[in-house]
Amino acid sequence: MTREASVLYDAPGPKAKVRNVIYSVIVAVAVVAALAYVYRGLADQGQFDADKWKPFLEADIWKTYLLPGLQGTLTAAVLSIVFALVLGMLFGVLRLSDHRAVRWIAGAFVEVARAIPVLVLMIFLYALYAEYDVFQSDYLALGAVVTALTIYNSAVIADIVRAGIRSLPRGQTEAAVALGLRKGQLMRLILLPQAVTAMLPALISQMVVALKDSALGYVITYEELVRNGLQLGAAERNTIPALIVVAIIMIALNMTLSQVATRVERRLRTRKKGKAVVAADTVLPAPGVDMGK
C-alpha cells in the first residue's frame, strides 16, 4: 500500500492528480479575483485612505471604545466558559446515571438547551431579568449574556463529556468495580481524568464558540468589542476599518485560546505517558499474607 492510500478514499491516479491541480488553480484564481474585486470596491469608496485608519493610532480611541469592548468580551467569555464547563461536566455525568429519572431530566435539559438559538435566549433572559429586577441595571446585560452562553454551551459540553467517557475501554470500569470502587470514585478517579484529556480538542472548539458568541450581546446593549467597534465606526465614519480591526482582535483572541488549550492538552498527555505503571501484585497483598514477613 502506498503512502498516499487512505481508508477513506482510493489514492488518486495520474489523471486525477492533474485534475486536482487544475481545480485547485481555478479555485485559487477565483478567490484572488473575488478579493481583488472587494478591495477595489472598498478602495473606490475611500475605506483604505490614511484618514480612516488614523483614529486607531490615538490612545483615546482605544480607551473609549476598543479596550472597554475587549474587557466586556473577555468577561462574558471567561464567566460563561467556566460555568459551562462545570455545568456541562455535571450533566454529562448525570446522563450516564443508573437512575432512569436522572437520565431523563439531564437529557431533557441538554436537548432543550441545544435547540434554543443563543440570541433568542439572550433576548428572553434580558427581558426576564429586567422584569423581575434580578440584576442591577449595570449588570443586567452581562447576566443575560453569561446565562445564555452558559446554558447553550453546557448542553454541548455535556454531550462531549458523555461521548468521551463512553469512548474509554469498558475493561477499566469492570476492573474498578472488581476492586470495590463506588460509582462516584470510578467516575472521579478513573474515567473523568482520561475522558478530559481525550475530549480536549472538542472542548477547545466549544470555548472558541463561546468567545465568538459573546458578540451577540450587542443586541441587548451589552458593551462588548463588536458593539463598540460599530459605535467607533459610526463616530469616525470608518465602519469598514473599525470592523477589520475588531476582526483582527477576535482572531488573535481565538488563536491565543487555542494555543493555550493545545499546550495544556500536550502537557496532560505527556504526564499521562510519563507515569510509571505499578504491578498489580505490589498494590494489594494476597489474602492471608502477612506483609511483614
Side-chain angles (χ1 to χ4, degrees):
M1 183 178 292
T2 63
R3 294 176 60 185
E4 296 181 359
S6 173
V7 296
L8 301 178
Y9 56 87
D10 295 331
K15 293 184 178 180
K17 290 181 179 179
V18 174
R19 286 198 304 269
N20 292 340
V21 171
I22 294 174
Y23 295 155
S24 299
V25 171
I26 293 175
V27 172
V29 171
V31 170
V32 171
L35 292 175
Y37 176 79
V38 173
Y39 176 82
R40 174 174 291 185
L42 295 175
D44 291 341
Q45 296 178 4
Q47 292 297 327
F48 295 105
D49 293 343
D51 293 339
K52 300 288 186 179
W53 297 88
K54 280 184 179 179
F56 301 106
L57 301 178
E58 300 176 5
D60 290 339
I61 293 296
W62 284 85
K63 292 179 181 179
T64 305
Y65 294 101
L66 297 179
L67 291 182
L70 179 60
Q71 181 181 358
T73 295
L74 291 177
T75 301
V78 170
L79 290 176
S80 60
I81 287 172
V82 172
F83 293 152
L85 283 174
V86 175
L87 203 59
M89 291 284 184
L90 175 61
F91 278 96
V93 173
L94 290 179
R95 294 200 72 179
L96 298 174
S97 174
D98 295 332
H99 303 284
R100 182 178 300 178
V102 175
R103 292 199 307 270
W104 283 359
I105 294 174
F109 168 82
V110 170
E111 295 300 329
V112 172
R114 274 193 319 185
I116 302 176
V118 180
L119 182 58
V120 174
L121 191 57
M122 282 186 187
I123 297 174
F124 171 77
L125 291 172
Y126 182 78
L128 183 67
Y129 291 164
E131 179 69 21
Y132 293 98
D133 295 329
V134 178
F135 293 98
Q136 297 179 1
S137 58
D138 295 339
Y139 300 100
L140 183 60
L142 174 62
V145 171
V146 171
T147 306
L149 292 177
T150 299
I151 292 174
Y152 174 77
N153 290 286
S154 65
V156 179
I157 292 175
D159 268 349
I160 295 174
V161 171
R162 184 182 62 162
I165 293 175
R166 284 188 170 179
S167 67
L168 298 177
R170 187 172 180 83
Q172 297 189 18
T173 301
E174 296 173 350
V177 172
L179 290 174
L181 293 181
R182 295 189 297 272
K183 184 71 178 289
Q185 294 175 319
L186 167 65
M187 191 68 65
R188 186 179 70 256
L189 300 177
I190 298 178
L191 298 183
L192 271 181
Q194 297 181 76
V196 167
T197 304
M199 62 192 177
L200 263 180
L203 291 177
I204 295 169
S205 300
Q206 201 57 39
M207 291 177 187
V208 173
V209 170
L211 179 61
K212 293 189 295 186
D213 284 349
S214 63
L216 297 174
Y218 83 94
V219 177
I220 56 175
T221 69
Y222 178 63
E223 186 178 13
E224 46 80 39
L225 190 58
V226 175
R227 180 173 182 268
N228 284 17
L230 291 174
Q231 290 180 347
L232 171 60
E236 299 293 334
R237 297 182 179 178
N238 61 346
T239 302
I240 299 300
L243 291 179
I244 291 175
V245 172
V246 168
I248 292 173
I249 295 174
M250 292 296 292
I251 292 172
L253 288 176
N254 291 330
M255 291 180 64
T256 302
L257 177 61
S258 299
Q259 288 294 328
V260 171
T262 301
R263 290 185 179 182
V264 172
E265 178 188 5
R266 290 177 181 174
R267 191 167 183 178
L268 289 176
R269 291 186 184 277
T270 303
R271 283 185 177 181
K272 183 179 178 181
K273 291 181 180 179
K275 287 182 179 179
V277 179
V278 182
D281 56 358
T282 64
V283 177
L284 294 175
V289 176
D290 186 1
M291 294 297 292
K293 293 182 179 181

